[in-house]
Amino acid sequence: MKYFAVFFFLLFSAVSFAQDAEPTTPQRVSGYIINDDSKQPLPNVNIINTNKVRGAKSDAKGYFEIDVQPNDTIHFSLLGFQSLRIRVTNDWIKNKVTRIQLTEKAIALEEVIIAPFNLTGYLEIDSKLIPTKENYRYSISGLTQGYEAGEYSPNAFGKVLGSIFNPADMLYNFFGKNSRELKKLKDMKKDDTIRNLLETKYDRETIAVLLGISKDEIPEIMHRCNYSDAFIQTANDLQILDAISGCYEQYKVLKRN
């Protein structure tokens, strides 16, 4: 009886450990997204599971499905509407379907002032009046177009190298504190829904959410990686994501050495 009790205890402990160690199986939840004011369905809403780096879109009826685990964060965004983040609860997983309401933004148009160049009509003179900036041009793997990356490419190497030995440097803090999110970069680019979304966005909101930073930090990160103002201002979110990914890979290589 004594040996049986010991055997039963060990067996129970092993089963309990196996249950604790077993990862939670992803489950699929769904919902309908509507306009908070008109109660009409909202199609083409961008939906991202920021924990699993998986994306989806709502259909013409506002319906969507996405794989989740408990406590995952789902980010909803649509042009002209306030973005929304929702934590996945056990109730949602149990009920499978929920209703999400997005609120329209109150957008005030700002005054735009156009400052024309004072051209003389003489080509030789006017060509010198138009501001130009020579930037190093490079290509990103997987994309067909080239992009600007600052006046001198070696500076990027120097800045990234310098950040490794300077704990106060912005890149050192960013890459150190956000290493977990930065490791998701490859997964972000593998998901077609997220790639297609980032290719059409220029507001940096989705990148900020995926990397767990504020939108204001992104231009500073790009400057520290020696990307030009022209690239930072005109690149879409996918190009920005690729640029940060390239800078991070360079940082890891230098740090190992």
Side-chain angles (χ1 to χ4, degrees):
M1 184 68 181
K2 176 181 177 182
Y3 294 107
F4 176 77
V6 172
F7 173 77
F8 179 78
F9 175 77
L10 293 175
L11 179 63
F12 178 78
S13 300
V15 172
S16 300
F17 177 79
Q19 289 177 344
D20 293 339
E22 183 180 354
T24 305
T25 303
Q27 302 185 56
R28 176 155 291 226
V29 296
S30 59
Y32 290 90
I33 308 175
I34 63 173
N35 186 318
D36 183 34
D37 182 39
S38 67
K39 308 305 179 185
Q40 295 297 312
L42 292 175
N44 299 317
V45 176
N46 300 300
I47 305 144
I48 296 178
N49 183 333
T50 60
N51 296 83
K52 304 297 181 294
V53 198
R54 293 294 180 268
K57 274 197 174 187
S58 60
D59 61 17
K61 296 181 180 179
Y63 180 78
F64 71 92
E65 293 182 352
I66 192 167
D67 290 336
V68 300
Q69 289 181 349
N71 297 319
D72 282 353
T73 298
I74 310 299
H75 183 264
F76 300 85
S77 63
L78 180 65
L79 185 65
F81 288 80
Q82 296 179 11
S83 297
L84 183 67
R85 295 190 206 183
I86 296 180
R87 181 69 60 86
V88 176
T89 62
N90 289 321
D91 288 340
W92 187 4
I93 293 176
K94 181 179 178 180
N95 297 328
K96 298 296 182 182
V97 182
T98 191
R99 189 173 72 165
I100 310 295
Q101 300 185 74
L102 295 185
T103 304
E104 290 188 75
K105 290 181 179 179
I107 303 175
L109 297 178
E110 298 180 356
E111 181 182 4
V112 178
I113 300 176
I114 300 176
F117 298 116
N118 296 318
L119 303 180
T120 64
Y122 294 95
L123 181 60
E124 292 183 359
I125 298 176
D126 292 342
S127 62
K128 297 178 181 179
L129 294 175
I130 299 175
T132 59
K133 186 175 182 179
E134 294 181 359
N135 292 306
Y136 177 74
R137 203 162 182 82
Y138 74 105
S139 61
I140 294 178
S141 177
L143 301 177
T144 57
Q145 188 176 350
Y147 306 101
E148 295 176 348
E151 295 181 5
Y152 303 103
S153 180
N155 285 352
F157 178 88
K159 287 185 178 181
V160 175
L161 181 63
S163 71
I164 295 176
F165 303 105
N166 181 10
D169 188 89
M170 195 271 181
L171 278 185
Y172 182 98
N173 292 325
F174 170 66
F175 288 145
K177 293 179 180 179
N178 299 278
S179 59
R180 182 178 179 182
E181 285 77 12
L182 287 162
K183 289 178 181 177
K184 297 180 183 176
L185 287 172
K186 292 182 180 179
D187 292 332
M188 295 178 195
K189 293 187 289 184
K190 289 178 182 177
D191 190 285
D192 290 337
T193 303
I194 294 179
R195 283 188 63 87
N196 294 335
L197 167 62
L198 294 177
E199 282 180 339
T200 60
K201 296 196 73 174
Y202 293 81
D203 58 9
R204 315 299 188 238
E205 178 188 5
T206 304
I207 294 180
V209 170
L210 291 171
L211 295 180
I213 59 178
S214 69
K215 292 196 293 184
D216 296 335
E217 291 181 88
I218 294 176
E220 178 62 21
I221 293 167
M222 301 303 297
H223 280 129
R224 294 301 302 166
C225 291
N226 205 47
Y227 289 92
S228 70
D229 289 331
F231 174 73
I232 296 171
Q233 294 169 7
T234 61
N236 63 37
D237 285 2
L238 179 61
Q239 295 162 358
I240 293 292
L241 185 69
D242 274 330
I244 294 176
S245 177
C247 190
Y248 178 57
E249 292 300 323
Q250 187 181 48
Y251 175 86
K252 290 195 300 182
V253 171
L254 293 174
K255 191 174 182 180
R256 284 199 299 266
N257 296 333

